[in-house]
C-alpha cells in the first residue's frame, strides 16, 4: 500500500525541525546556507525562517562575511535563553548541579554534601538547585535531568525503592517538580554516562557498545544499534549481581555481595591494592589506579584487569557488543594501560572480538548525560510540531 504524502503542516514541521537541528549542530547559518544544507527551495527556507522567528526560536545573531550586508548576509541562530535547564548528579551523600541555556552553555554550577533525615536532605538539595539557578541569572527552569544510582521503572520513570539508597533520593524528583514547576526526568546514572560517552566520549563512533561502570558500585549500560536497552523492569546491566567465581559466595535479591561487585567495586580494588603495597590512607580507588599507571605497577594492573575482564567477558558472550568502555573514575584513571590489559584477557576468554576502551569523560559523564537528556527533552517540546 503506497504511503500517503505528508500534509502541508506535517511537512512544515519536518522542515522546521531539520533547520533547527542544523542550527544546533552547525551554529548560526545564513538563509542560503540553510537552503544548501536542507535541499529546500529558497521560498521554503524563507517561510521556515519567518515561522521560527515568529515562534521566538531563532533570531538574527550577526552577518556573514566582513563585507557583506543586507538580508542575504543575516546569520540566524537559536535563541539560547528561550529555555533554561538543570542537570543533577545525585550521589549517596552529595549532589552536583549545573544550570545551562537551551544550547548547553554553562551558566552556573555547584555541589554540596547532602545527607541526614529525608525531609532536611530533600530541602537542602532543592535549595542547592534554586541557588545555582539564581547564580546563573535564571528565573525559571524548563527541564531538570537527574542521574541517580538504582533502578528506574521504565513505565513510570520513578526510582525503585531499594534498601541500599537513602530515602531522600526517591523524594527529590517530586520535590523539585513541585517547587520549580519544571519537567523533571530521572535516569540511572550508568545509562546517562553511556549517553554522554556515545555523544562526546569514548564511544562516539559506536552504535553498539557496553559501558562498564567502575566506582563505589559496578554497573553496565547496554546500547544496541543506537538504542539504550533498559529491560522489563529497568534492570538491564545490573552486572554487580552477576554470579562469578572467586568471591566465595553468591549474591542475593537484596544485596550484590558475592557477585561481580565483590570483585571489581572500589572497595575490592582498594583491598587488592593493599595486597600489592600500593594503597595509602586517604587514597580512593581511582587515586590508587592512577598511581599504579603512573608508576607502572604492572602486577597490580594485571590483577585488576583479571577481575574486571570477568564482567567484560560475560557482557561480550551474551551481547557481542564489539566494544566495552571502562567508565567511572576508576575506568578513566586506568586509561589505556588498564583497557589494553582487559582487552587481552577478554580476547583469551572469548572468540568474539571485543575492543575495550577507557572512558574519556570519567566522573563527569553522569552530569553530562543528565544535561543531554534534559536538553533533548526540552528541544523536543519546544521544537516539536505542537509548539
Amino acid at each position: 500500500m503506497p504511503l500517503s504524502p505528508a500534509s502541508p503542516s506535517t511537512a512544515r514541521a519536518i522542515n522546521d525541525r531539520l533547520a533547527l537541528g542544523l542550527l544546533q549542530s552547525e551554529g548560526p547559518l545564513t538563509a542560503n546556507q540553510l537552503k544548501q544544507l536542507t535541499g529546500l527551495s529558497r521560498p521554503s527556507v524563507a517561510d521556515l525562517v519567518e515561522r521560527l522567528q515568529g515562534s521566538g526560536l531563532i533570531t538574527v545573531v550577526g552577518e556573514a562575511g566582513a563585507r557583506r550586508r543586507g538580508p542575504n548576509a543575516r546569520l540566524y541562530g537559536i535563541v539560547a535563553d528561550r529555555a533554561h535547564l538543570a542537570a543533577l548528579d545525585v550521589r549517596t551523600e552529595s549532589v552536583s548541579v549545573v544550570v545551562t541555556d537551551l544550547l548547553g552553555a554553562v551558566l552556573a554550577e555547584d555541589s554540596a554534601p547532602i545527607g541526614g533525615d529525608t525531609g532536611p536532605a530533600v530541602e537542602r538539595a532543592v535549595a542547592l538547585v534554586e541557588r545555582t539557578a539564581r547564580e546563573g541569572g535564571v528565573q525559571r527552569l524548563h527541564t531538570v535531568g537527574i542521574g541517580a544510582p538504582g533502578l528506574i521503572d521504565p513505565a513510570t520513570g520513578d526510582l525503585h525503592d531499594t534498601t541500599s539508597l537513602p530515602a531522600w533520593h526517591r523524594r527529590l524528583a517530586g520535590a523539585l517538580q513541585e517547587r520549580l514547576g519544571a519537567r523533571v526526568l530521572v535516569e540511572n546514572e550508568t545509562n546517562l554516562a553511556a549517553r554522554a560517552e556515545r555523544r562526546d566520549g569514548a564511544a562516539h563512533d559506536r552504535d553498539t557498545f557496553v559501558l562498564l561502570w567502575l566506582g563505589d558500585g559496578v554497573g553496565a549500560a547496554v546500547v544496541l544499534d543506537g538504542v539504550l536497552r533498559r529491560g522489563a523492569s529497568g534492570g538491564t546491566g545490573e552486572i554487580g549481581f552477576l554470579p562469578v567465581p572467586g568471591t566465595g559466595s553468591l549474591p542475593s535479591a537484596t544485596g550484590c555481595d558475592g557477585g561481580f561487585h565483590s570483585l571489581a567495586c572500589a572497595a575490592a580494588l582498594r583491598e587488592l591494592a593493599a595486597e600489592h603495597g600500593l594503597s595509602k590512607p586517604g587514597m580512593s580507588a581511582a587515586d590508587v589506579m592512577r598511581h599504579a599507571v603512573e608508576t607502572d605497577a604492572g602486577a597490580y594492573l594485571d590483577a585488576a584487569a583479571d577481575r574486571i575482564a570477568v564482567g567484560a567477558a560475560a557482557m561480550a558472550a551474551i551481547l557481542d557488543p564489539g566494544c566495552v568502555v571502562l567508565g567511572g573514575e576508576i575506568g578513566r584513571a586506568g586509561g589505556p594501560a588498564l583497557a589494553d590489559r582487559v582487552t587481552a584477557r577478554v580476547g583469551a576468554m572469548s572468540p568474539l572480538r571485543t575492543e575495550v576502551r577507557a572512558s574519556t569523560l570519567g566522573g563527569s559523564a553522569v552530569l553530562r548525560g543528565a544535561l543531554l537528556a534534559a536538553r533533548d527533552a526540552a528541544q523536543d517540546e519546544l521544537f516539536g510540531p505542537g509548539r
Side-chain angles (χ1 to χ4, degrees):
M1 183 177 181
L3 295 175
S4 301
S7 67
S9 61
T10 300
R12 286 194 293 271
I14 292 171
N15 292 342
D16 290 356
R17 188 60 192 261
L18 174 60
L20 288 164
L22 287 168
L23 290 169
Q24 178 185 333
S25 61
E26 303 294 330
L29 298 168
T30 65
N32 188 53
Q33 289 171 325
L34 283 170
K35 174 181 176 296
Q36 293 174 346
L37 292 170
T38 61
L40 297 173
S41 66
R42 190 175 299 278
S44 294
V45 170
D47 287 344
L48 74 82
V49 166
E50 184 178 355
R51 280 195 304 275
L52 295 176
Q53 281 187 295
S55 299
L57 292 174
I58 69 171
T59 190
V60 177
V61 296
E63 293 187 341
R67 298 182 179 179
R68 298 185 63 184
R69 295 292 184 270
N72 291 335
R74 291 173 184 161
L75 279 169
Y76 298 96
I78 291 175
V79 179
D81 61 0
R82 174 66 186 272
H84 295 100
L85 318 171
L88 280 69
D89 181 4
V90 179
R91 304 284 89 201
T92 303
E93 297 179 346
S94 67
V95 172
S96 297
V97 58
V98 60
V99 174
T100 76
D101 64 22
L102 185 59
L103 293 178
V106 175
L107 304 176
E109 53 189 326
D110 202 354
S111 61
I114 304 291
D117 295 336
T118 299
V122 169
E123 177 59 32
R124 284 193 292 272
V126 174
L128 173 66
V129 177
E130 291 178 324
R131 183 173 66 250
T132 307
R134 287 195 302 270
E135 290 172 354
V138 174
Q139 298 285 331
R140 178 182 179 276
L141 290 169
H142 182 282
T143 304
V144 177
I146 301 175
L151 298 178
I152 308 298
D153 189 320
T156 66
D158 295 333
L159 186 65
H160 282 203
D161 184 6
T162 70
T163 57
S164 61
L165 295 178
W168 65 267
H169 277 207
R170 298 185 297 279
R171 291 272 304 279
L172 181 57
L176 285 169
Q177 193 160 13
E178 180 179 352
R179 182 84 70 85
L180 304 177
R183 181 181 183 184
V184 179
L185 312 171
V186 185
E187 178 61 278
N188 172 266
E189 58 180 354
T190 308
N191 288 344
L192 289 176
R195 184 172 192 160
E197 291 286 359
R198 184 170 183 239
R199 183 79 67 93
D200 303 315
H204 66 91
D205 59 342
R206 306 290 304 206
D207 288 333
T208 295
F209 70 99
V210 167
L211 173 73
L212 186 57
W213 184 267
L214 303 172
D216 289 337
V218 296
V222 176
V223 177
L224 302 178
D225 299 322
V227 179
L228 180 69
R229 306 295 178 173
R230 292 182 171 82
S233 61
T236 294
E238 284 295 317
I239 195 171
F241 288 89
L242 180 74
V244 295
T247 63
S249 61
L250 292 173
S252 71
T254 58
C256 53
D257 289 342
F260 180 61
H261 172 89
S262 294
L263 281 185
C265 71
L269 293 179
R270 281 198 303 271
E271 290 177 6
L272 181 66
E275 295 172 9
H276 285 78
L278 292 177
S279 183
K280 298 179 181 178
M283 291 181 71
S284 68
D287 291 336
V288 171
M289 184 64 71
R290 196 174 296 110
H291 176 67
V293 171
E294 291 172 352
T295 60
D296 194 23
Y300 171 72
L301 292 172
D302 286 343
D306 287 341
R307 294 183 174 205
I308 294 166
V310 172
M315 301 302 284
I318 296 168
L319 298 170
D320 187 19
C323 178
V324 173
V325 176
L326 302 183
E329 290 288 357
I330 297 173
R332 185 178 185 187
L338 178 64
D340 290 348
R341 284 172 163 85
V342 178
T343 296
R345 284 153 177 77
V346 173
M349 286 188 279
S350 171
L352 306 175
R353 182 175 176 81
T354 306
E355 179 185 5
V356 180
R357 302 176 179 178
S359 164
T360 58
L361 303 178
S364 69
V366 175
L367 200 58
R368 293 173 73 160
L371 177 58
L372 289 171
R375 192 176 76 182
D376 288 351
Q379 291 181 352
D380 282 344
E381 179 179 327
L382 294 170
F383 297 173
R387 65 176 188 273

